[in-house]
């Protein structure tokens, strides 16, 4: 725990962790809220420590949400774990390179991808709202999901992180024909694996502020449990609405960082 952190700052960070847990459980993207809060609240802390501490917080809320979903949502745990293991390997690699990457180079590319996602979701209002078709998914589609949602998005999560849940949900809905609630549930299982991979690497590098992470994790846990229950209760339309809001917010945040922050 940083010695100079005030009670007021701790309170704000705790509230940010609570809200981030809710957002992550519904659609992903809680890092959009918690990472900037940590950067503002810990202005003299190196960025690598902020990224690592964010992971130590997020893994608790994501795990709680995953457990809630697995108990109540009709997800294929075997497929989720297959993709999750690939995602864990990807996130280990991403976290390894995180210290040396220039995020300014990646921001424009990520913004293009997010803009394409937003246009796609808005132009196809039925996407992810209809029940998934019956019958097994082809092995080719599962392999594509392992490569894209597993290795690819897992690497991104270890490298940067914010928006991972939204990317996972869209990839799973598109590749495996899941409705958005099932995709969100499956994404949580995969996201637990990416968090484990990234946190393992950050721990080996000694960049986790464990005391602060543990405190914020308690609030993130509550937010994750509440968010998962709301998503299950309100259905795909609710998840789609939150998805649009999170993607727009991510676009605005990345655009601000790219062109206005300096």
């Amino acid at each position: 725990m940083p010695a100079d952190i005030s009670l007021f700052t701790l309170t704000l960070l705790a509230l940010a962790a609570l809200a981030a847990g809710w957002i992550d459980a519904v659609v992903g993207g809680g890092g959009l809220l918690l990472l900037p809060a940590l950067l503002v609240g810990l202005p003299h802390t190196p960025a690598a420590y902020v990224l690592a501490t964010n992971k130590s917080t997020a893994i608790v809320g994501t795990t709680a949400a995953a457990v809630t979903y697995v108990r109540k949502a009709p997800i294929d745990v075997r497929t989720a774990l297959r993709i999750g293991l690939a995602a864990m390997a990807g996130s280990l690699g991403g976290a390894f390179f995180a210290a040396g990457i220039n995020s300014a180079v990646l921001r424009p590319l990520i913004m293009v991808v997010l803009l394409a996602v937003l246009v796609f979701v808005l132009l196809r209002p039925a996407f992810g709202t209809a029940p998934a078709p019956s019958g097994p998914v082809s092995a080719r589609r599962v392999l594509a999901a392992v490569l894209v949602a597993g290795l690819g998005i897992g690497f991104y999560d270890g490298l940067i992180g914010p928006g991972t849940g939204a990317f996972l949900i869209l990839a799973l809905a598109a590749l495996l024909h899941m409705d958005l609630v099932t995709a969100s549930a499956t994404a949580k299982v995969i996201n637990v694996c990416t968090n484990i991979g990234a946190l393992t690497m950050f721990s080996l590098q000694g960049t986790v502020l464990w005391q602060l992470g543990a405190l914020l994790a308690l609030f993130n846990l509550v937010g994750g449990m509440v968010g998962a229950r709301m998503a299950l209760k309100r259905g795909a339309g609710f998840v789609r609405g939150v998805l649009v809001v999170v993607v727009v917010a991510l676009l605005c945040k990345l655009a601000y960082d790219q062109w206005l922050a300096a």
Side-chain angles (χ1 to χ4, degrees), residues 114-250:
L114 282 170
L115 186 59
V117 166
L118 180 62
V119 171
F120 178 80
V121 172
L122 291 177
L123 292 181
R124 296 190 61 181
F127 176 74
T129 58
S134 58
V137 180
S138 69
R140 182 178 298 179
R141 285 188 172 274
V142 173
L143 177 60
V146 168
L147 294 175
V148 175
L151 287 174
I153 298 177
F155 183 85
Y156 167 80
D157 190 39
L159 189 67
I160 302 176
T164 295
F167 289 141
L168 283 173
I169 289 169
L170 287 168
L172 293 170
L175 293 171
L176 301 182
H177 300 306
M178 294 179 177
D179 65 81
L180 288 181
V181 172
T182 303
S184 184
T186 306
K188 291 299 145 310
V189 177
I190 299 169
N191 212 174
V192 170
C193 296
T194 67
N195 284 339
I196 290 173
L199 187 57
T200 299
M201 182 58 66
F202 287 134
S203 298
L204 292 174
Q205 295 172 341
T207 55
V208 183
L209 302 174
W210 289 110
Q211 287 180 316
L212 178 60
L215 174 64
L216 299 182
L218 293 175
F219 291 86
N220 197 255
L221 171 67
V222 175
M225 293 176 67
V226 172
R229 286 183 170 84
M230 288 184 68
L232 287 166
K233 183 178 180 179
R234 300 195 179 189
F238 172 71
V239 175
R240 180 180 181 275
V242 176
L243 177 62
V244 170
V245 171
V246 169
V247 170
V248 170
L250 276 167

Side-chain angles (χ1 to χ4, degrees), residues 1-5 9 13 35 37-54 206-209 212:
M1 183 84 70
D4 58 346
I5 191 169
T9 298
L13 289 177
L35 266 177
L38 284 167
L39 288 169
V40 172
L42 307 173
H44 305 300
T45 302
Y49 286 79
V50 173
L51 286 169
T53 304
N54 175 64
T207 55
V208 183
L209 302 174
L212 178 60

